[in-house]
Structure formats: C-alpha cells, structure tokens
Amino acid sequence: MPRPDRYNAAPARTPMRAMDRITLIRPDDWHLHLRDGEALATTVPHAAARFGRAIVMPNLRPPVTTVAAAEAYRRRILAARPPGAAFEPLMTLYLTDTTPPEEIACAAASGLVRAVKLYPAGATTHAEAGVTDPLRLDPVLEAMAAHDLPLLVHGEVVDPEVDVFDREAVFIDRVLGPLVERHPRLRVVLEHVTTRHGVAFVRAARPGVAATITVHHLLLNRNDLLVGGIRPHHYCLPVPKREADRLALLEAAVGGDPRFFLGTDSAPHPRSAKESACGCAGVYTAHAAVELLAEVFEAAGALHRLEAFAARHGAAFHGLAPHPDTITLVRDPWPVPQRYPFPDGGLVPLRAGGTVAWRLAA
C-alpha cells in the first residue's frame, strides 16, 4: 500500500471530525534559527505569530560567543518583531574550544542567555568554529552545571568514516553518553533527535536529560529526501532517517513523555543556496509549524496531547511557567506560497505549493 503523502498536501476532509477548532496555550519553540539582517523581516513575524518564546540559535557569522553579542542580536530581533507581538527571544551562546568559564557566569547573570549550544566543528551550517574535543570542555560544563545553564547539543559526529545515517547514534555512544555521566548536575538537551537510538537514550538517561523533536522529522523520512530525485528543500542535518525512526519520534512526541518537546529547528536558506551544489542544510517550517504539528497529532489520534508537547514540556524543562497567552487553530485548509521574501532568491518553505489543513486564527 502506498504511503500517504505527508508533506505535499493536507489530509482529505472526512465527514465526521472530533473538532474543527482548537485553542492551546501559546506554544514555545525550543530550537529556532532566525538568521540576521534582512532575513529577520520574514523569520521573526512567522515565529512571533505562533510562539510566545523561542530559543534562538547562535550560529551566525561570526557566531554569538559572548553575552554582549547575544544582547546585540536580541535587540535586532526585537526591532523586527511586529507591533503588538509579545514574542520573546531567549538567547544562547555558541560554545567553542576556548569559551571561558567566566563567560558562563556572565551569561547566567544576564537573564537573557538561557542556554549554551554545542556544535561539533563542521557538523552543520556555520559550525566551523564549533567544538573539536568535548573532553576539553569539562571546566566550562562544570560552570554551566553550577549556574544551571542547560547544554543544547547537535548530536552528530563528523568522522568521515561514519555513515551519515549513523552519525547520531555514534555521537550518543562516543560523546553524549559519557558527557552526561561526567556531569550529573548538568541539564542536557539532545536537539532534533532523529533516531530510535536517540529516543531510547533519552528515555533511559538520568533526570535532567531531554530531547527536542522537529516538525519536519515527524513528517519526513529519507525516502522523502531521495526518492524521485533529490529534494533539496527537504535536506537538513541531521538528515531524516528510516520510517521506523520517524515512527519512534512520533511515538515519543504524542506519548505524553515530558522529556520530549517541540524544537522546530526551522532553518531558512535562500533558494539559490538550497538549489545549488552546496545544497545547504535546513528546512524552513516557521511559517506553519504549529499548524503542521496539528496535522501530525490529529493523524495519530492525539490532538489532546498537542498542547503538552508544544507548550508545557519544554517550559517545564527550562524552568518557566507555560505562556499566559493562547492561540487558536481552525480546520480551514490554506495554500502555502511557493516562496517567501528573503535575500538572494526568496525562501522556499516546507510544503511550498501544497496546502495545510489547519489555519492559525487571527
């Protein structure tokens, strides 16, 4: 039996439905790329329409490695926020081999920096300045544990001898597992988990270990990237894995386990960079992240758990109350534009040219 098309068109309307309108606590996005400069005019309004808060990734050029740089970036984001929007960017620092423990103390005292991001050097977009040897980080990680500043991890090795589809599992076994054990007080998030192995690791880990799950990894498997031709706008890092891995992510997302929560990893790139020899890694979902998530949860018979995954679990892990605002989704299919305004050729979103079954109410 052919697999239903999860990314190109909304599910068909059925004669009987449990509900056509859902009101939720306003979700938070615990992993978001906004980029900088002209890009903010598109990315910030999309995020602000749906999310109350977002952990903003620091992999700019140059990366956000200091509290001063994070504060300046935050001001640029707020300047792009639509009038009346209450969207709050939660800032992060980019961890390097030379990050001093003193900067961690400054970050904790700032009240604006909420986490620190570990990119293995060369693992993904703008990760050139990332960490080359995690064992050298122990003094900084001890400072983070002392100040209760979480570590957000891009969980992939960059060893060329490791198959690209195995990089997450190998990273967990070689790096993340030992790191979690060496620092028992450190809160750790395995970001954009993509494998059965990663889900099992989080479930078996000590308290203080969690994972974010993206919308696109709930919708796509590696066939959606490769079958019928390479689809560059589905290419991301970590890459989508087997269907069995997608189903493991789905079970974790809809199952009510508070260790799993939404982090879209929405990552904008200009069309010219995606449709090129570079094939830049990143899927843009901020334009419809919550609406697409509603489709996923409805198909799984779990709309009643959407609010917990999108609005409660992540806030609790990060020590925050759920957002005081709400949003409403209505069942009203709408067409996704072929592209959004963006420098260098526009921005192609997930499901460009297709439809989304749920719409964000005004």
Side-chain angles (χ1 to χ4, degrees), residues 137-349:
L137 298 177
D138 281 353
V140 174
L141 299 181
E142 289 168 5
M144 290 172 58
H147 291 283
D148 197 25
L149 205 59
L151 177 68
L152 314 180
V153 180
H154 181 108
E156 291 189 288
V157 297
V158 293
D159 184 341
E161 296 185 0
V162 176
D163 188 285
V164 66
F165 293 104
D166 296 330
R167 289 180 176 181
E168 180 175 286
V170 172
F171 181 89
I172 290 169
D173 294 343
R174 287 185 186 175
V175 179
L176 188 58
L179 184 154
V180 164
E181 293 306 313
R182 287 199 313 275
H183 300 278
R185 294 187 300 145
L186 180 65
R187 287 189 291 146
V188 178
V189 179
L190 173 58
E191 297 208 285
H192 43 52
V193 61
T194 61
T195 61
R196 291 168 288 175
H197 189 81
V199 169
F201 169 77
V202 172
R203 284 179 168 155
R206 62 162 172 79
V209 176
T212 55
I213 301 177
T214 78
V215 177
H216 54 277
H217 285 117
L218 289 171
L219 286 167
L220 308 176
N221 64 29
R222 64 189 188 180
N223 281 359
D224 299 313
L225 175 62
L226 299 170
V227 171
I230 296 174
R231 304 183 185 214
H233 298 286
H234 291 171
Y235 173 58
C236 56
L237 288 171
V239 294
K241 304 301 194 299
R242 293 179 180 272
E243 176 65 0
D245 294 301
R246 189 191 72 85
L247 292 175
L249 302 182
L250 179 61
E251 182 184 4
V254 306
D257 188 331
R259 293 170 291 189
F260 298 96
F261 41 86
L262 176 62
T264 68
D265 191 22
S266 179
H269 291 281
R271 180 181 178 182
S272 58
K274 292 291 288 182
E275 298 176 8
S276 70
C278 164
C280 294
V283 176
Y284 188 70
T285 59
H287 66 295
V290 181
E291 300 95 309
L292 290 167
L293 197 62
E295 287 185 8
V296 170
F297 273 67
E298 182 178 36
L303 270 177
H304 60 292
R305 288 180 172 162
L306 174 59
E307 182 179 81
F309 177 76
R312 292 185 180 274
H313 294 168
F317 180 87
H318 284 274
L320 298 170
H323 200 274
D325 196 5
T326 61
I327 64 169
T328 297
L329 301 176
V330 294
R331 188 189 302 279
D332 181 18
W334 58 277
V336 178
Q338 292 286 356
R339 68 183 76 176
Y340 287 105
F342 204 74
D344 300 324
L347 171 61
V348 178

Side-chain angles (χ1 to χ4, degrees), residues 83-98:
F87 175 71
E88 180 183 3
L90 306 176
M91 309 312 293
T92 59
L93 296 187
Y94 185 114
L95 195 60
T96 73
D97 288 338
T98 58

